Amino acid sequence: MQGFYDPVNEKMHEPSLPGIAYSFTADGHYEEAYYRAISNPQNPACPQGIIQWQHGTFQKLSNGSLTLLPFGVDGRQLESTPCLSQSIYTRYNQSELFTGYRVYTDPYHNIPRLDLFQFNGAPMAPMYLAYNPPQMLPTQTLNPTASATSAGKASSTNTANAKRSFEDPVGFQGPLNKNVIMPYKEPYNADKIWWYGIGLLGLGSVGYFCF
């Protein structure tokens, strides 16, 4: 998910749409990007946006569950709202447990699909394969501190095919999904359909009175 978080300049880039994405490698590394818009019923003009990014290692347990263990010093969170002059930018460190998962070809889209089940068994929204190989930042500690462990220092050859680099750390030229397998399609414009229907109704009425 290159372009979502810039560790060189300590910046997070807001996507055009909310959602969540996970990337996994064969040798046990993962990356997570999360963007959520939260409504404000008391003041609808002041919604809140939360952007989170973290990466680390994952383990497959014998009972079929997954545990995700982030590199604690690397995770970042950005909270913003149009009603405040400044955003809140902090570190973010949240381990995760998924009680199960399924990987299969979605019968409708005909592309690989991932179903994750949260710690309480509730399913998350389905996720579809967007990049192969995954586009990830390096699978090591990006912001090491004195307390950082050495767990993220090594990367085996199994991840050599994953695209990880700090290329263009400032500009991030092009949209984040320019190489996506299944690009997002804009939904139908309801206003255009409505006016189209009005036009047809008008033509039908004219034809009725003329003939």
Side-chain angles (χ1 to χ4, degrees):
M1 286 159 282
Q2 286 180 269
F4 189 86
Y5 167 54
D6 174 7
V8 176
N9 297 288
E10 281 289 351
K11 292 182 179 180
M12 302 192 80
H13 300 266
E14 181 177 339
S16 58
L17 294 171
I20 187 169
Y22 286 89
S23 297
F24 298 92
T25 65
D27 61 348
H29 292 89
Y30 84 97
E31 186 173 307
E32 173 188 358
Y34 177 97
Y35 176 38
R36 183 181 179 188
I38 304 175
S39 62
N40 186 345
Q42 295 181 341
N43 189 354
C46 296
Q48 182 183 20
I50 298 180
I51 302 177
Q52 296 169 340
W53 181 91
Q54 60 180 1
H55 70 157
T57 61
F58 73 91
Q59 297 178 349
K60 298 180 182 179
L61 304 183
S62 58
N63 61 358
S65 61
L66 288 176
T67 58
L68 276 55
L69 305 173
F71 302 144
V73 296
D74 280 351
R76 294 293 186 270
Q77 175 175 280
L78 178 66
E79 299 179 65
S80 61
T81 174
C83 297
L84 294 179
S85 59
Q86 292 184 336
S87 301
I88 302 175
Y89 185 61
T90 60
R91 281 182 174 164
Y92 177 73
N93 178 15
Q94 179 63 60
S95 300
E96 295 178 86
L97 169 66
F98 296 108
T99 58
Y101 66 94
R102 290 194 303 163
V103 179
Y104 59 100
T105 300
D106 183 84
Y108 180 78
H109 297 291
N110 197 32
I111 60 173
R113 167 176 165 173
L114 172 64
D115 292 343
L116 291 173
F117 299 89
Q118 302 178 68
F119 68 95
N120 57 359
M124 297 184 64
M127 285 172 272
Y128 303 94
L129 181 65
Y131 301 99
N132 189 16
Q135 294 191 353
M136 302 168 61
L137 291 173
T139 55
Q140 63 188 33
T141 302
L142 304 177
N143 301 282
T145 64
S147 60
T149 65
S150 60
K153 293 183 179 179
S155 177
S156 74
T157 56
N158 291 338
T159 58
N161 292 329
K163 298 179 180 178
R164 307 181 190 90
S165 71
F166 293 126
E167 295 178 1
D168 190 22
V170 178
F172 292 109
Q173 299 296 326
L176 301 186
N177 66 341
K178 61 182 178 181
N179 298 318
V180 71
I181 292 176
M182 186 182 71
Y184 171 78
K185 295 182 179 180
E186 290 290 341
Y188 293 109
N189 190 310
D191 290 337
K192 291 183 179 179
I193 295 176
W194 187 83
W195 283 111
Y196 182 71
I198 292 296
L200 290 179
L201 181 61
L203 289 175
S205 300
V206 172
Y208 175 80
F209 287 108
C210 290
F211 301 99

